Amino acid sequence: MAMSLPVRFRSDGVRVAVETDPLHAPLRDFLINDLGEDVSAIARAQGRLSDGAVRPWQEHYRYHRLDFDGTTVHVRDVAGWASCDLEPAVLRRCLDEYLHQVGALKSRRSLERELGGQGNGEPMAASLALGSVSRRTQGWGLVQTPRAVLEDLAGLTPHPDACLPHGVMETGSGACWADLAVLDEAGKRLRGGTKTFMPKGIEAERIMGELGNALTKARFLDGIPGAWAGTVAGVPVHGYVDPDAVLRLPCQPIEIGGVVRRVKVFFPELADSGVDLAAAAAGASEFTPSVHGPRHVLTAFLLHDVQSHRHHLEVVRAARPGWEHTGNACHIRMDVQTVRLEHLWLPGHACELPTGEFAGVLYEYERLTAP
């Protein structure tokens, strides 16, 4: 049964408002006036409530103090005029939700700053879709921006239900996938990008632990430098490590800390087709003789961006000259004669092939992955 909280949170995109009854006004004032938007202060307060300690403790803030007597947390203003009592679990949930709201607000501001600073007259959606908000840095992170924030900024076109990957951490819910699309005046799709949203409640720290566990069983994929496959949080995933720094998977637990720092990205596998997708992608990439550049970039595009899914195949086939897309592993640019693929996680790795032959590769990949 869901826990009932004594406060309600509301964000208008500018600030987080905390609403409550008069009895719990000290809690509201503590959150707004003492913690404010200081994420580290909120996290420290969470830490006080998550160590399982039963000994009494006291924390002093500018306007309030928290007293824990072993069973109850008393929130008192420093003048001693007002107080309220809370169970530790309830206060912890209040802090969890408040941190989520503050984090969402900061994410929105960050996105707006990035987008506003780019200028050049291109719509906000274009900047998001082309990946310029999260520049191509060498590293990964969980995107905890609520879906509503990106809906406000760019507009989302959800994938079909069949695109949703496997359940996450036995919650029964998969990650949420969506297309960020940029359309011209006639409504024709010009550019887009695929984004993944983890379900609410999945903690980054737990994902890190799960990633460490996955690397003890992960395997490298033949022919694509640094590419590996494994299972994270119950989800089949693919990913990339720095191929020059990590020479062997799986790794021993003693090595995990160093190897995790070399993980550049990982992403869910969309569908379990029952076919060896890596072999199918490699076979389809050999279908054309006219690849200029490393052929494994084409293999990676098929395996990690198309992923044998009919929806993705149809999106790419429908593309016309001028279309671009940023996926899990590659950025694709299409013109009248040539398709260019740039690998996002292997700097300098790119290939080009004729547009007509690219279409043939897609059909061959679909044939090889048919159940």
Side-chain angles (χ1 to χ4, degrees):
M1 188 171 69
M3 183 182 296
S4 177
L5 300 183
V7 291
R8 296 172 299 280
F9 300 98
R10 211 169 24 83
S11 176
D12 58 7
V14 177
R15 67 187 184 93
V16 176
V18 183
E19 302 171 343
T20 190
D21 54 51
L23 181 65
H24 293 94
L27 172 59
R28 175 200 61 207
D29 296 341
F30 166 68
L31 294 173
I32 295 296
N33 298 326
D34 291 292
L35 299 182
E37 295 183 9
D38 188 339
V39 171
S40 61
I42 301 171
R44 285 195 298 272
Q46 286 177 311
R48 258 306 198 179
L49 296 161
S50 61
D51 58 8
V54 294
R55 292 184 178 181
W57 51 259
Q58 188 176 88
E59 285 283 346
H60 290 268
Y61 294 84
R62 183 175 181 182
Y63 300 107
H64 295 81
R65 72 177 187 270
L66 270 56
D67 293 302
F68 177 59
D69 61 13
T71 58
T72 304
V73 180
H74 309 277
V75 182
R76 299 184 172 96
D77 67 42
V78 293
W81 293 105
S83 68
C84 64
D85 300 337
L86 299 162
E87 294 180 8
V90 172
L91 179 55
R92 170 63 195 235
R93 285 292 302 275
C94 291
L95 291 169
D96 290 348
E97 181 62 22
Y98 186 53
L99 181 62
H100 175 75
Q101 295 288 340
V102 169
L105 181 63
K106 286 179 172 286
S107 295
R108 183 190 182 98
R109 289 173 181 165
S110 175
L111 288 170
E112 288 174 337
R113 279 196 302 271
E114 292 280 357
L115 294 171
Q118 288 168 23
N120 74 22
E122 196 168 21
M124 286 185 179
S127 297
L128 283 169
L130 296 176
S132 54
V133 169
S134 55
R135 296 182 180 85
R136 295 180 191 177
T137 54
Q138 295 303 300
W140 63 273
L142 279 180
V143 177
Q144 295 179 316
T145 303
R147 183 178 177 125
V149 172
L150 289 178
E151 285 177 342
D152 288 345
L153 289 175
L156 294 179
T157 305
H159 280 214
D161 289 342
C163 268
L164 295 178
H166 313 257
V168 176
M169 289 183 178
E170 298 160 355
T171 61
S173 63
C176 176
W177 285 75
D179 273 344
L180 291 170
V182 183
L183 310 178
D184 63 12
E185 295 79 4
K188 181 178 120 182
R189 180 192 180 102
L190 291 178
R191 293 183 290 271
T194 302
K195 306 296 177 188
T196 307
F197 302 88
M198 300 300 286
K200 183 179 177 181
I202 298 299
E203 298 177 354
E205 293 79 7
R206 189 172 177 189
I207 289 288
M208 283 293 290
E210 290 280 339
L211 178 59
N213 293 335
L215 294 174
T216 66
K217 303 174 183 177
R219 61 185 178 87
F220 279 125
L221 302 180
D222 292 337
I224 307 177
W228 58 274
T231 301
V232 174
V235 181
V237 302
H238 290 261
Y240 284 87
V241 295
D242 182 343
D244 297 321
V246 179
L247 303 178
R248 181 174 56 85
L249 284 178
C251 63
Q252 298 299 318
I254 196 171
E255 301 172 310
I256 286 174
V259 174
V260 165
R261 287 193 293 272
R262 301 294 183 175
V263 174
K264 296 181 176 183
V265 65
F266 67 96
F267 37 83
E269 180 180 295
L270 281 188
D272 183 3
S273 65
V275 176
D276 186 340
L277 298 181
S285 68
E286 295 291 337
F287 187 75
T288 171
S290 307
V291 175
H292 302 284
R295 193 176 292 268
H296 64 252
V297 177
L298 176 58
T299 304
F301 173 76
L302 296 173
L303 179 61
H304 294 147
D305 295 322
V306 177
Q307 290 200 44
S308 83
H309 204 278
R310 179 170 295 280
H311 169 67
H312 291 183
L313 285 163
E314 290 173 351
V315 166
V316 178
R317 285 198 186 107
R320 295 295 178 263
W323 187 76
E324 298 185 25
H325 184 93
T326 299
N328 291 322
C330 296
H331 184 79
I332 179 173
R333 291 184 175 92
M334 186 175 294
D335 62 28
V336 175
Q337 294 182 323
T338 306
V339 172
R340 178 174 175 81
L341 297 167
E342 299 176 6
H343 205 291
L344 302 175
W345 312 108
L346 299 173
H349 291 230
C351 73
E352 293 184 349
L353 67 158
T355 303
E357 293 190 22
F358 178 68
V361 169
L362 293 176
Y363 281 105
E364 177 67 7
Y365 184 54
E366 183 176 28
R367 186 186 70 80
L368 291 173
T369 57

